[in-house]
Amino acid sequence: MSAFSPKLIATKFSERAILFGNIDPREKDRIRYGLEWGISGFYQIALTLLIGYSVGLFMETLLVLTTISSLRLFAGGAHFSNFNYCLIASVSLIIGIAFSGPFLLHIFSNVNTLLLITYPILLAFLWNYAPVLFKKRNKKSNREIQQAKHISITISVAFMLLSFCLPDIYALAIYTALFFQVFTITPFGIKIIHFIDSKLTKRR
């Protein structure tokens, strides 16, 4: 295991917190999980923004990262089981979307029409499937599930409205980010991602 892996760092910090912080040892797993999640997120954000800046697409990358991260926080979605695969896939997806803007502009001559037609469809999928959670520790009550659903839709609507106020290249970045994040909560999207994950896991 790498010395800089989120799991190892989180485990060491949680052990020290229990040892020196007068914390109930039964809280160790919860502390470790929270730290691992936070460290993983930091790695992804830092690496993504660094690459985006280095290729001259910082604003597009920032918009895509903010859109996906904000929505995923409440809507959930399928992901890879291995941290390295998850990191590579997330960074590649975000940078790929940032790069796709000029190409999409050649395909869609009227961006606002595209958004007006497809945004209601994305909201319908969110209403149907969000939130999608896989870990037992993320088990929520019906009230919490409904709250997460409503927050997911509110976040999406906010980004959708923002996209109408921005230049087409940035609007497409938000649109594509929303599209892919919603894809990860659909049954088909979950099957595709888990299928790829299973193939990669078997090769290790």
Side-chain angles (χ1 to χ4, degrees), residues 28-100:
K28 177 183 176 181
D29 188 56
R30 186 176 65 84
I31 294 171
R32 183 203 60 77
Y33 174 75
L35 286 171
E36 184 178 350
W37 187 90
I39 295 168
S40 300
F42 173 77
Y43 280 2
Q44 178 181 327
I45 292 171
L47 181 59
T48 303
L49 292 179
L50 180 62
I51 295 175
Y53 177 79
S54 66
V55 297
L57 294 169
F58 181 79
M59 185 55 66
E60 291 89 335
T61 302
L62 181 61
L63 282 171
V64 175
L65 176 64
T66 304
T67 304
I68 289 179
S69 300
S70 300
L71 182 54
R72 189 175 186 83
L73 185 62
F74 295 96
H79 55 84
F80 292 102
S81 57
N82 178 272
F83 167 71
N84 291 327
Y85 293 150
C86 191
L87 179 65
I88 293 170
S90 298
V91 173
S92 299
L93 173 64
I94 293 170
I95 298 300
I97 292 175
F99 264 110
S100 69

Side-chain angles (χ1 to χ4, degrees), residues 121-131 146 149-150 153 185:
I121 298 173
L122 295 183
L123 290 175
F125 277 117
L126 275 170
W127 182 260
N128 242 358
Y129 299 117
Q146 290 304 312
K149 183 191 296 290
H150 293 150
I153 291 174
I185 70 170

